[in-house]
Amino acid sequence: MKVTTPGTEGTRRRESVFHRLYVGTGAFDIVGKRARWYVSLGLLVLVCIGSIGFKGFNLGIDFEGGTKLQMPAVGAQGPISDSQVQDAFREAVGRPAETVQVVGTGANQTIQIRTEALDVEEVGAVKQTLFTQLQPLDAQGRPSEQVISDSAVSGTWGGEITQQALIALGVFLVLVTVFLAFYFEKWMAVAALVALLHDVVVTAGVYSLIGFEVTPSTVIGLLTILGFSLYDTVVVFDKVKENTRGLLGLTRRTYPEAANLAVNQTLMRSINTSVIALLPVAGLLVVGAGMLGVGMLRDLALVQLIGMTAGVISSIFLATPLLVDLKMRESKYREHEVKVQQRRERAAAKAAGEDVPEEAPKQAVSAGAGTSRRPSRPAGKSGRPSGKRRR
């Protein structure tokens, strides 16, 4: 069903897209086209769930355990590249390292090597090969094998972080449900929770599809995007609540039309808020990961960039349309929609010059008024009462 705000049909074609975004008069039929949003987002969620189930995640060393080696990024022959380190590692143990990463900048730049668990002999062989081929320098500028450090990483630490994150997620969802149910209503709480779950599934699915490495920073960043997604949804719902206050007593708009108007009125704000929020995240991703090579910043910014984008999409194209479908399950809103359509049909018929019967309530009132009148006394020849008194 097409949902537009009354009074905007004739001006939509003459207005530009940016003007319609700015004024927010309900020109964008978002709620009326909710079926296509359900299909699109549903297919995306199914693909993400399928990737998580069949492909899984690229878990980092903090989850699976392994060995971590670190060395300065400057050798006797000059700066050491990650490809040189990868070649030396493959020559030492016969297989490539999982990740070789340049971290830091300037004189403090180092190279981190993460791989599956190595025994003592393999660690010694890797250190010897790295020192022989690359000659890393110590603080005094002399080649030294002692600057190549190693440490064993247990996978239980990442598992504990994941467990605590899941507990925090559950507590967060319970508190959000209680808050929305009391501040708004139960259907708004349900729609907001569905939007939150959509954001989590899509973000996790993108990581699974593309193969991004999942680290503890990724898990922490996943929790931070929930607040942003909820904030944007609450802003839209607050406008929906304002537009639908006392709606059942009026026949100007239906509930879907009032909700669609609320989405349009907050659409520009959602876009501006999202752009302002994504700019520092993109800067963190580009500067922190691209220029400084800091892996933790890259993991944190990457999950926030994906999650915030999914949050904006769900708050506009999923939360409010789903709320409309849930509300229209109630008979009073369906009956109100019928009354609004009947009033518009009568107004259109009157404008076309057709004879339109009065509304039923008005007929009842007029009929009641006609029967309540007292009958007049018979008039005399002059048309006035005879004036004779009965004895």
Side-chain angles (χ1 to χ4, degrees), residues 159-205:
E160 292 175 356
I161 289 182
T162 304
Q163 182 181 3
Q164 296 299 322
L166 292 176
I167 295 175
L169 177 61
V171 173
F172 177 81
L173 293 179
V174 171
L175 293 178
V176 165
T177 304
V178 174
F179 167 74
L180 293 177
F182 279 95
Y183 184 75
F184 292 113
E185 56 178 284
K186 62 177 182 178
W187 293 132
M188 287 188 176
V190 173
L193 285 179
V194 172
L196 283 177
L197 293 176
H198 164 272
D199 300 339
V200 174
V201 172
V202 169
T203 305

Side-chain angles (χ1 to χ4, degrees), residues 5 13 21 24 44 62 67 88 146 170 179 204 217 222 232 243 252 255 280 300 312 321 337 360 362:
T5 302
R13 297 180 180 178
L21 275 174
L44 177 60
D62 298 299
T67 302
Q146 303 301 321
F179 167 74
S217 300
L222 186 63
D232 204 40
N243 289 356
R252 183 182 179 186
Y255 191 91
L300 186 62
V312 174
E337 185 176 26
K362 291 183 178 180

Side-chain angles (χ1 to χ4, degrees), residues 18 50 88 92 118 128 141 146 153 178 189 191 199 207 212 222 263 276 331 342 371-372:
F18 293 102
L118 303 176
Q128 182 63 39
Q146 303 301 321
V153 180
V178 174
D199 300 339
Y207 261 75
F212 292 141
L222 186 63
V263 175
I276 296 302
S331 59
Q342 290 176 350
T371 57
S372 63

Side-chain angles (χ1 to χ4, degrees), residues 313-344:
I313 294 174
S314 66
S315 64
I316 297 174
F317 298 104
L318 179 61
T320 305
L322 181 60
L323 170 65
V324 169
D325 281 332
L326 293 174
K327 294 291 288 186
M328 295 307 292
R329 293 166 59 92
E330 301 180 13
S331 59
K332 58 182 179 180
Y333 289 100
R334 294 197 302 269
E335 294 172 358
H336 175 261
E337 185 176 26
V338 172
K339 293 179 182 179
V340 174
Q341 296 300 330
Q342 290 176 350
R343 185 191 67 83
R344 292 177 183 174

Side-chain angles (χ1 to χ4, degrees), residues 71-268:
M71 58 181 286
V74 179
Q77 289 79 27
I80 303 173
S81 65
D82 53 356
S83 59
Q84 291 177 310
V85 175
Q86 190 69 267
D87 294 339
F89 187 93
R90 183 183 293 106
E91 181 179 339
V93 296
R95 59 182 181 275
E98 291 187 0
T99 60
V100 177
Q101 202 170 45
V102 180
V103 179
T105 182
N108 297 323
Q109 198 172 47
T110 61
I111 295 180
Q112 291 182 355
I113 308 169
R114 296 189 177 192
T115 182
E116 59 186 19
L118 303 176
D119 55 29
V120 178
E121 291 77 10
E122 289 176 328
V123 172
V126 170
K127 284 186 175 183
Q128 182 63 39
T129 305
L130 290 174
F131 176 72
T132 303
Q133 295 187 6
L134 305 177
Q135 297 287 305
L137 304 178
D138 57 12
Q140 288 74 32
R142 294 173 298 185
S144 173
E145 188 177 350
Q146 303 301 321
V147 296
I148 306 176
S149 61
D150 68 279
S151 59
V153 180
S154 174
T156 58
W157 184 67
E160 292 175 356
I161 289 182
T162 304
Q163 182 181 3
Q164 296 299 322
L166 292 176
I167 295 175
L169 177 61
V171 173
F172 177 81
L173 293 179
V174 171
L175 293 178
V176 165
T177 304
V178 174
F179 167 74
L180 293 177
F182 279 95
Y183 184 75
F184 292 113
E185 56 178 284
K186 62 177 182 178
W187 293 132
M188 287 188 176
V190 173
L193 285 179
V194 172
L196 283 177
L197 293 176
H198 164 272
D199 300 339
V200 174
V201 172
V202 169
T203 305
V206 169
Y207 261 75
S208 175
L209 283 170
I210 302 179
F212 292 141
E213 185 180 16
V214 178
T215 65
S217 300
T218 305
V219 178
I220 295 172
L222 186 63
L223 296 178
T224 63
I225 67 174
L226 299 179
F228 177 84
S229 175
L230 180 64
Y231 166 77
D232 204 40
T233 303
V234 167
V235 168
V236 180
F237 281 178
D238 191 64
K239 196 64 179 178
V240 173
K241 181 181 179 181
E242 178 183 343
N243 289 356
T244 56
R245 186 178 292 114
L247 181 71
L248 297 178
L250 304 173
T251 56
R252 183 182 179 186
R253 297 190 183 98
T254 63
Y255 191 91
E257 291 170 350
N260 186 72
L261 178 61
V263 175
N264 278 264
Q265 290 172 336
T266 57
L267 188 58
M268 195 64 192

Side-chain angles (χ1 to χ4, degrees), residues 363-374:
Q363 292 176 353
V365 171
S366 60
T371 57
S372 63
R373 295 179 181 177
R374 296 179 61 184

